[in-house]
Structures are given as structure tokens and as C-alpha cells.
Amino acid sequence: MKKLSLFTICLIILIGSWVFLRFVVGGIISVPIPSSVIAMYMGLIVIAILVHISVEDSQFREFLRPIHETLVEDRRRIHRRVLVVLIPLFLLGYTYSIIAQRANPPGSPRDAHPSPPLELTYKDEVIGTMQDVVNPYRHYEKDDPEEFKAHVENGRRVYHQNCFVCHGDHLDGQGHFAPYLQPLPANFQDPGIIPNFQESFFFWRIAKGGPGLPAAGTPWDSAMPIWEDTLTKEEIWDVILFLSDYTGYQPRTFGEAH
Amino acid sequence: MRIRTIALLLILFGTLAVFSPADAQNAPEASERGKEVYEDSCAHCHGVEGRGDGSAAENLLPRPRDFTRGLYKIRSTEAGQLPTDQDLFDIITEGMPGSSMPEWETALSTDDRWQLVAYIKTFYPGFKENETPPKQITLAGKISYAEQSVEIGKELYVELGCVECHGNVGRGDGTSAPTLEDSWGFQTWPANLTQGWTFRGGYDTEDIFKRFIGGIAGSPMPAFEGDSFLNFGLTAEESKRLIELENRDEMTEAEEEESGKFYEKMDAAVDIALTIQEGGEVSAADIQTYNDAMKIVYEKSWHLANYVKSLMPEKRPEPAIGNNVLRSQYVQGALPAIDDAVWETFEARYFPLVGQVVIEPRQFNPTIDGVHVKSFYNDTEVAFLFIWDDRTHTTDETDENTGKTLEDALAVQFPVKVPQGPTAPKPYFLWGGRLPVYLWHWKASMPEQVTELTAKGINNAEVQEVQGELEVQSDYTDGQYKLWVKRALKTEDKKDLQLEPSVFVPIAFSAWDGSNGDVDTKRTMTSWYTFVLEPVPSSRRFVYPPLIAILSVGLLFGLRAFVQRRNSEEV
């Protein structure tokens, strides 16, 4: 097999890297990478290639050789003619696509974990500070399993009468209304949700809903209702018990945080 | 080496196939595990005792199935038969589109789903008592989709009376549509045949065909058999002839005799069908008569299935999210009126609606699927065309419980001021809050009028004192509303939204179906989407690209000349 020229190798590296970033990393392995990040990586690769080929004069000449040949040598005439048509055509299409591109709406930044207020309230009643409030029925888990089960069952009822149309039968945020809400309802089966927050945080999110998000927190389109208008305090605490009981995830406790 | 590998793989897959529960046709014996899974995953809708009365049931329409009567909608089996185990397994696995039954493939293992099948069967004793396996519908005589078959199906659609429930073009808006009840006395709507994605058992031609032959048990949809099928026992020609005779004002004696013979033939066939259904004894000749009659039913059903398939798009339209925003197109001169053919050239954007479940009273069972929107603008005005399906035209109905007047309506919502930049807050999506929204409110009782509202909350809307000059046209035909609204881009009123090209404007919708009890907060709605007056494309796009192309040619030749000269110098 003929040895590949340095120029071809560089070209392969360049195209290969782009394909790898765009389709392998940003498709098969993970979610698509923003084009600006790809451009940054590609810039680094181009610099690396330039450094590599310009280390020695002979290396640089070797790199330029195929370009030279294509430009002047008779045996490359066909290559030359093809390129003199293809290069302008590509530029024509490329500049046209850039100029004719439609403006797209600005993306909405997402603050997935809005910071809660210092005090936890239900309607106007202060329950306590966000850090100290615990689920008043949680202790039954050890003290009185029967009572605990009753609370979980009540939470199950509350959930299926109010929450499941969005958050889903599996608690995975895929209820039958969910696909048409932006942002999507929370997925409680996601290991990053329940274990990361205290029960008081869930109480706050449930009680105040989308409108209760802090002014700095985005997005503002959350369809989460203000449940303190509909549910009693006990019902909210019970539904929190149900969420962790059903998924098997334990909410973060104050002790663990230290 | 290679042959050995293939052989090993074959053995491996063969073993898997034999032991894989997914291939089993029959559920295992009912066990404790099935009960456990059922109570954890199903009972909240279907009830602990399988009566379809779980805690969530009241909020759901269609209601969760009551398993104690053995009536299953989606089956691969003939009329009046129980479903196969595989049917039950498939429904659990795939869920039922258009209802709140989700797919359980992700949440439950294959084994658990089979355990569920076994457990669900214990709610109805008929499963155990029936020793012969249910008879499956044969798909062997399938008539492929073709224009000719669709045409025949279209005639049958009218002839068989499908129109009465499903409406002229299939939007579920037939005259009987509002009166239908299921076997439990709950209200039920006929399927909107233009929205295949809401069909509980799928919308392939085969799926549709199976619903015809097997019926949809527990619903008013009849199985195509015996006395529930028009002119059962007659050939297609005979059936046509009979309809022709019956449409005459007067019949001659010979014709009366002819139609009498047809009736005798039909009665005989229906009798046999009933006897077979009840499991009675029938002669070989009777079976032949029955099979001949069913062959015609099967043929007609394939044609009809092909016709129904022709009524719907291939899949549910994509919602207008991401960059797929509603782009109003610029036109010079007058904007098209509601019936202008130009609208057909504009591909609508689709905004799926969901029930409003935030503020009481809530709507858990929306009947409006979504709204399609198109828009054109010129130098001074913008026109929108809103299109949505609604099975009934309701303008003045009184709600039995609240005494409120129910009517169909649509509201289009914009912010009063467009948020500047991606981090500027939008008003609350449900008719605003701290930040107000600007609304166009249209009601079916006043079809040529849109009221401008300003709202700071779903229960805090005010009719604007100054009503702008909005032009409105609307239409209701065959289960579909069209609403056309035209407004000036700029108005004097500070409470109105002011529009200019290239600005991305949040837009949202609320819709009310009067016949579904929608009123005030009980409605279907969307959260914010985006709309823009698409700027006229710059003419620069015809200047710069050719210029750059020509320059690049010059550059290439220059480069070549440079290299050549240097080469000759070196020599």
C-alpha cells in the first residue's frame, strides 16, 4: 500500500476529529455538543497540526508537496480542474447558507435547582427555617411502621389524584400531559433528584409551585401548580413520603450535610 | 472456525427463544408476585379489586378498565371473545395512546408483566371457565392500501352508518357523538379518525381492521358481525341492490318480492351468526353460509380500514418547540381572508393542548388535541388563522352542576411587553401574574368578534376599555373550527402588544370545549411558545456568495501563477 502523504494524514485527522466530536461524542456517547465548543476543540487541533508540520523545514515542505503538485504538475491536471470547480461551488453554497439563515429564538436558560427562601411557609404560616424543618411523619418509619404505612398510602392517593397526569405512573416525569410541557415535569426516578434535597425543599417546591420560584430562578414557564391552595400540610408531607417510598430514594437529611 | 461461531450463536439464540417469556403465548399461573405488582402499579387507577375504581379513576376519561366484566377493548380475537394472554401483555407493555394508560415496558420487567396478565385474569371468572382458546381474527385476506380500495371504503363509510358517530370526514363529530355511553354508563366520545395517534390500539391498517371485526368491547363501537352489520349475509352486489330498492319511493311487486328474498337471506345468516356466538349446534351447510357472509364482512372491513387510514396524517405533528417556531410570512398588499387558497401553501405550526390542572376547577380530561396556526403579515397588519378540532359546536349550553353557560372558545395570549433578552422574565404562562398578558378572547356565540383582555392571573382578567379594531372571521365545519383574526401591527393602546418584524414574541393558547364542561379555569391550554414576524430575506444573499466564489477562482489561479513563477526561478 502506498504511504499516505503528510497532507492527507492531517486532513484525515481534522475531518476525523470533527466527525468524532459531532457524531460519536455528541450523539452515540452523549448529548450533542454546542457548535461553539466543537469550534474551540477544532481550533486546538488545527494549532497542534500547524505546530507539528512547521517544526522542521523539511516537514513543512513535505506537507506542502501535494498542494504544489496539484497546482502545477501536468499529471494532476484533472485534480486541478475538479478543484477549481468544487472549491468556488462550496464557498457559494456555504456563504449563501450563512446569509440566508433564519434567526432562531433565544434559548431559555434553565436553573434546575433554584435556591429556596430561608423560611419555609405554608400559605402565610411560618413552619420554620428551611434547614431545620423535618417531615413531621418521617419518624413513624422507625417508631410506628403501621402509622407510617398509612401516611405513605395517603400520599399515594394524593399523588394519583393530583400529580400523576404530569409526573407519571412510574414517577418518572412521563405522565400523559408531560410531553407537551416546557420545561418537562421532574423525574423522581432520576437518582439526582430526591437524594440531593431535604424534605423541606420538596415541601417548598410543592407548596409554592412554578409561581413561587425566586425572581432570579428560570424558567418561568413551569406548570407546577401552587399546591398549598389545594392540599393540606399533611397531604404535602405524605406525598413526599410516598415519593421516597415508591422510588426507594431517601431525601437528604440535615445530619448528612455535615 | 466461522461456521462453528455461527452454529454456537444459533444455539444460543435458539435457547434464548425457547426460554424467553416474551415468546410465551400463555401467562403463568397467578401468583403473589402478580398481586404485589398490580397493587403497586395498577391499583391506583384500576382499583384493588379490579373494578376500575382506583383513587385516580374519577379524574380520568376514558375511565380505567373494570376488569371484572371481561370486556376488553383491544383484542386480536373475534367478536364476543376474550382477549388472548398476548393481547393483555401487549397492552400492558405498550400502553394505550389517547388515554392515561402508560407503557410499562420501562418500569416493569417482562416477567412482572406476565405475572400481571395472570393476576388480571383472576378478576373475571370467564377466563378460567373458558376451556377453548379464544378465536383469533385472521389477517390472511388483507387488501393492501390502494386508491381504489380507499374509494370503496369511502362509500362503505356512509353506507354502514359510520358517519352518524364519526362524522362526515371522520372528526368524531357525528350527530350521535354527544349521546354515547360505554357499558358502565360513562360518557364516551367516538374516535377522531383524523388523529390516529389517539387510537388506543394503534393505527396501522391491521389494527383498525381488528377493531372492526372484534369490536371495541364495552364501547358503543359494534363488531362487524351478524345483526350489527348492515345487510349481513348479502354479497356486495346484493347489498347495493337492496339499498337501491329501499331508496325508491315505490316498489313494483317484483321488486318487493326481490327485496323480501334478500331479507330472508339476511335473517337466516344473522340467525346462524347468533347461534354460533352462543355456542349452539350448527350444520356444515350453516357454517358454509356463515363463512361466506363473513368473507364479505372481511373484505368490506379491509376497504373501510384503508379509507380510515387515508383520513389521518402519518403521525402526530411535531409541537412548535425549539427553532420550529411560528413564523409569520411577509406578503405585499392585502392579507388573505379566511377562505383564501393561499393559506394552503403555509405549513401550519402545531401547538398541543393539555388540561389545565393548576387552578380549581381543573380539567383532567381534555377533548381538544391541539391548535394549528398559520400567519401572514404585511407592512401594517398581521393575520392569523387558528384551526382546531372540536366534536360539537356549542354556543349556549347550561352546565348541570354549576348553572354556568358552556360554549366553545379560544384565547390567544401574548405578553403586553415582549421580554428583552433570554434572562428577562415572561409573564406567568397561565394568564399572567405580576407581569400582565394581552389576550384575544373568541367565543363561539359571537363568531365575528374577538374581545381584547388584559390579565394578571387566570381569575384576574379585564376587558380592555379601548377595544382595538380587530377583524374576525370564523367557521365551523365537520368538527373543525377555523378562526381568522387580523390586527394592525402597531396600535395606540398601551395595553396592547406592539409588533415588529424579527422580534421573537411569546405566544400561548387556551381552548374551551363547551360540551366537555369547559368553562373559566376548566379548559385546555399550552405554556409559552414563540412567534415571530419573519423578516423579508436580505437581498445580500444574491450578491455576496457569487462574489466570494469568483474571488476564490481568482485566488486559485493567482496561487498557481505564483508557484509556477517561483518554480521557474528556482530552476
Side-chain angles (χ1 to χ4, degrees):
Chain A
M1 207 174 76
K2 219 174 84 178
K3 201 166 165 269
L4 291 173
S5 72
L6 182 61
F7 179 79
T8 320
I9 293 171
C10 292
L11 206 65
I12 290 173
I13 289 176
L14 212 60
I15 296 172
S17 315
W18 184 79
V19 170
F20 180 73
L21 289 170
R22 175 71 181 72
F23 297 107
V24 180
V25 178
I28 299 167
I29 299 178
S30 176
V31 291
I33 305 172
S35 55
S36 56
V37 176
I38 292 187
M40 209 173 70
Y41 280 119
M42 292 309 292
L44 285 175
I45 292 164
V46 168
I47 290 171
I49 288 174
L50 285 178
V51 169
H52 176 71
I53 60 172
S54 58
V55 169
E56 277 178 52
D57 252 5
S58 59
Q59 185 104 328
F60 192 56
R61 238 175 278 133
E62 166 65 15
F63 176 78
L64 289 180
R65 195 175 44 84
I67 306 177
H68 264 252
E69 282 175 8
T70 314
L71 278 171
V72 292
E73 280 182 25
D74 277 352
R75 63 194 173 93
R76 295 269 186 235
R77 192 181 294 147
I78 295 171
H79 284 114
R80 196 152 61 226
R81 289 192 180 156
V82 169
L83 283 175
V84 86
V85 174
L86 281 187
I87 291 174
L89 268 183
F90 169 77
L91 289 172
L92 185 84
Y94 184 67
T95 35
Y96 181 87
S97 74
I98 285 181
I99 295 178
Q101 202 174 42
R102 300 196 297 192
N104 283 324
S108 180
R110 169 110 207 234
D111 181 359
H113 303 322
S115 42
L118 293 173
E119 263 179 354
L120 183 65
T121 58
Y122 174 80
K123 295 182 182 170
D124 291 330
E125 172 201 340
V126 178
I127 301 179
T129 65
M130 190 62 76
Q131 268 201 335
D132 298 332
V133 173
V134 292
N135 191 331
Y137 310 110
R138 174 65 73 181
H139 70 93
Y140 287 129
E141 198 170 4
K142 285 196 186 108
D143 303 347
D144 186 350
E146 277 304 303
E147 184 67 22
F148 183 73
K149 196 163 174 256
H151 281 282
V152 170
E153 283 308 307
N154 188 42
R156 182 193 297 271
R157 175 193 63 80
V158 171
Y159 182 84
H160 287 114
Q161 283 178 352
N162 298 283
C163 321
F164 95 109
V165 289
C166 295
H167 293 283
D169 289 77
H170 322 146
L171 282 63
D172 58 357
Q174 306 220 8
H176 52 289
F177 286 179
Y180 307 111
L181 296 173
Q182 301 283 326
L184 292 172
N187 167 7
F188 301 113
Q189 299 285 7
D190 180 336
I193 301 284
I194 293 180
N196 273 335
F197 300 97
Q198 288 173 245
E199 289 185 288
S200 57
F201 182 92
F202 289 105
F203 189 98
W204 169 62
R205 290 305 325 121
I206 295 168
K208 309 294 177 187
L213 284 168
T218 57
W220 308 270
D221 308 6
S222 164
M224 180 72 177
I226 305 170
W227 287 108
E228 63 185 8
D229 291 348
T230 327
L231 301 178
T232 64
K233 259 192 291 186
E234 183 174 346
E235 283 174 324
I236 296 179
W237 287 124
D238 285 354
V239 87
I240 294 170
L241 293 183
F242 169 69
L243 293 183
S244 71
D245 184 76
Y246 191 91
T247 59
Y249 292 120
Q250 290 302 312
R252 190 171 180 166
T253 55
F254 193 58
E256 266 173 62
H258 282 254
Chain B
M1 169 70 195
R2 197 172 288 167
I3 290 171
R4 207 188 304 160
T5 317
I6 293 171
L8 275 173
L9 279 174
L10 277 177
I11 291 168
L12 181 67
F13 283 120
T15 325
L16 279 177
V18 169
F19 288 105
S20 161
D23 281 355
Q25 280 299 308
N26 291 303
E29 284 296 303
S31 70
E32 271 305 301
R33 176 66 190 158
K35 184 174 156 70
E36 203 177 292
V37 177
Y38 179 85
E39 283 175 4
D40 211 36
S41 297
C42 318
H44 56 267
C45 289
H46 295 285
V48 178
E49 286 164 3
R51 290 185 208 281
D53 59 353
S55 55
E58 216 165 284
N59 282 334
L60 302 176
L61 227 159
R63 280 271 177 150
R65 184 91 324 189
D66 166 2
F67 297 130
T68 63
R69 287 172 64 174
L71 293 173
Y72 286 89
K73 282 179 172 173
I74 308 303
R75 294 169 292 110
S76 64
T77 57
E78 290 188 353
Q81 302 265 315
L82 287 170
T84 63
D85 289 353
Q86 189 70 43
D87 287 341
L88 296 175
F89 180 82
D90 289 345
I91 283 293
I92 295 170
T93 304
E94 291 160 23
M96 297 173 92
S99 83
S100 44
M101 173 74 182
E103 56 84 18
W104 289 93
E105 195 172 7
T106 35
L108 299 177
S109 70
T110 311
D111 280 340
D112 279 354
R113 278 175 274 140
W114 276 113
Q115 291 290 342
L116 273 181
V117 172
Y119 187 66
I120 286 166
K121 285 167 70 182
T122 63
F123 291 124
Y124 179 66
F127 278 110
K128 224 173 189 172
E129 290 158 10
N130 249 3
E131 272 156 22
T132 46
K135 205 164 165 241
Q136 280 189 278
I137 295 166
T138 164
L139 300 173
K142 181 181 174 179
I143 298 171
S144 308
Y145 188 90
E147 213 168 294
Q148 204 188 355
S149 168
V150 170
E151 280 305 310
I152 300 171
K154 191 176 181 177
E155 277 174 32
L156 287 167
Y157 182 79
V158 179
E159 202 173 290
L160 295 170
C162 311
V163 176
E164 277 156 46
C165 292
H166 294 284
N168 289 331
V169 295
R171 295 204 183 98
D173 59 316
T175 44
S176 328
T179 64
L180 301 177
E181 283 182 358
D182 66 14
S183 303
W184 289 263
F186 295 116
Q187 190 182 20
T188 182
W189 292 103
N192 180 335
L193 305 177
T194 66
Q195 296 170 352
W197 55 90
T198 63
F199 290 10
R200 317 289 184 254
Y203 57 109
D204 287 341
T205 323
E206 284 86 352
D207 296 325
I208 300 167
F209 175 82
K210 283 185 215 160
R211 301 300 91 77
F212 292 157
I213 303 299
I216 300 179
S219 88
M221 175 74 189
F224 289 2
E225 197 199 36
D227 54 359
S228 60
F229 191 78
L230 185 82
N231 299 347
F232 183 77
L234 298 190
T235 65
E237 293 77 35
E238 287 172 334
S239 176
K240 271 215 169 112
R241 173 75 179 148
L242 180 61
I243 292 165
E244 188 194 322
L245 289 174
E246 284 182 334
N247 282 340
R248 295 196 182 168
D249 293 336
E250 249 177 278
M251 277 190 263
T252 64
E253 217 165 279
E255 282 168 350
E256 289 217 10
E257 201 178 310
E258 194 186 352
S259 84
K261 272 190 184 148
F262 286 147
Y263 274 102
E264 274 170 33
K265 198 176 171 198
M266 274 156 53
D267 287 345
V270 169
D271 276 346
I272 296 167
L274 287 175
T275 316
I276 290 176
Q277 218 177 58
E278 284 156 14
E281 293 270 317
V282 277
S283 68
D286 285 352
I287 288 178
Q288 189 57 45
T289 311
Y290 176 76
N291 285 345
D292 288 346
M294 280 312 284
K295 194 169 167 251
I296 294 158
V297 171
Y298 271 51
E299 269 172 28
K300 287 186 171 178
S301 298
W302 280 119
H303 292 307
L304 194 60
N306 285 332
Y307 172 64
V308 169
K309 189 71 191 166
S310 79
L311 296 172
M312 60 185 80
E314 268 171 39
K315 53 181 199 229
R316 188 175 193 176
E318 291 292 323
I321 51 174
N323 294 336
N324 190 24
V325 299
L326 173 62
R327 295 174 191 272
S328 183
Q329 298 297 322
Y330 179 81
V331 284
Q332 258 174 344
L335 293 171
I338 189 169
D339 49 4
D340 198 312
V342 172
W343 289 109
E344 299 299 321
T345 64
F346 192 113
E347 196 195 334
R349 285 290 176 268
Y350 175 67
F351 301 88
L353 292 153
V354 292
Q356 191 287 113
V357 292
V358 177
I359 311 274
E360 292 278 0
R362 302 179 278 176
Q363 178 53 281
F364 282 97
N365 303 297
T367 42
I368 306 177
D369 185 71
V371 52
H372 295 262
V373 187
K374 307 177 179 194
S375 173
F376 287 106
Y377 76 104
N378 61 21
D379 295 321
T380 53
E381 295 168 313
V382 59
F384 288 92
L385 186 62
F386 307 101
I387 305 166
W388 71 101
D389 286 5
D390 183 333
R391 289 183 179 85
T392 51
H393 179 60
T394 316
T395 54
D396 180 20
E397 215 171 81
T398 310
D399 187 25
E400 285 167 18
N401 302 321
T402 59
K404 283 184 176 164
T405 305
L406 305 175
E407 64 173 315
D408 299 335
L410 185 82
V412 186
Q413 170 182 301
F414 307 95
V416 174
K417 285 211 169 59
V418 178
Q420 301 294 314
T423 52
K426 286 178 222 160
Y428 186 41
F429 74 101
L430 261 184
W431 280 29
R434 273 170 309 173
L435 296 168
V437 294
Y438 164 68
L439 293 148
W440 293 343
H441 195 194
W442 174 88
K443 294 173 176 177
S445 59
M446 289 183 284
E448 304 287 292
Q449 189 188 327
V450 156
T451 311
E452 287 182 303
L453 308 176
T454 307
K456 286 186 159 186
I458 199 164
N459 286 316
N460 190 6
E462 273 177 16
V463 175
Q464 288 191 1
E465 280 167 31
V466 186
Q467 286 292 315
E469 287 174 19
L470 274 75
E471 269 185 63
V472 181
Q473 295 172 355
S474 68
D475 174 60
Y476 180 82
T477 309
D478 290 334
Q480 188 170 68
Y481 277 110
K482 276 187 183 166
L483 169 65
W484 177 93
V485 181
K486 190 169 87 172
R487 204 205 78 168
L489 296 178
K490 305 271 180 200
T491 67
E492 297 291 313
D493 193 343
K494 281 202 173 127
K495 287 181 171 172
D496 291 357
L497 168 77
Q498 306 301 322
L499 291 165
E500 54 186 298
S502 305
V503 176
F504 288 96
V505 182
I507 186 171
F509 303 91
S510 293
W512 292 262
D513 177 2
S515 58
N516 193 37
D518 289 355
V519 62
D520 299 335
T521 61
K522 198 174 173 194
R523 59 170 87 169
T524 53
M525 45 127 247
T526 70
S527 53
W528 287 115
Y529 285 83
T530 308
F531 135 79
V532 65
L533 301 180
E534 184 76 354
V536 185
S538 157
S539 53
R540 285 183 314 165
R541 72 191 195 283
F542 299 119
V543 181
Y544 290 124
L547 212 65
I548 283 177
I550 292 165
L551 268 177
S552 70
V553 174
L555 218 73
L556 285 172
F557 276 102
L559 194 65
R560 178 164 188 252
F562 170 74
V563 173
Q564 269 173 334
R565 205 174 59 212
R566 221 179 53 176
N567 278 3
S568 60
E569 273 169 15
E570 273 173 21
V571 168

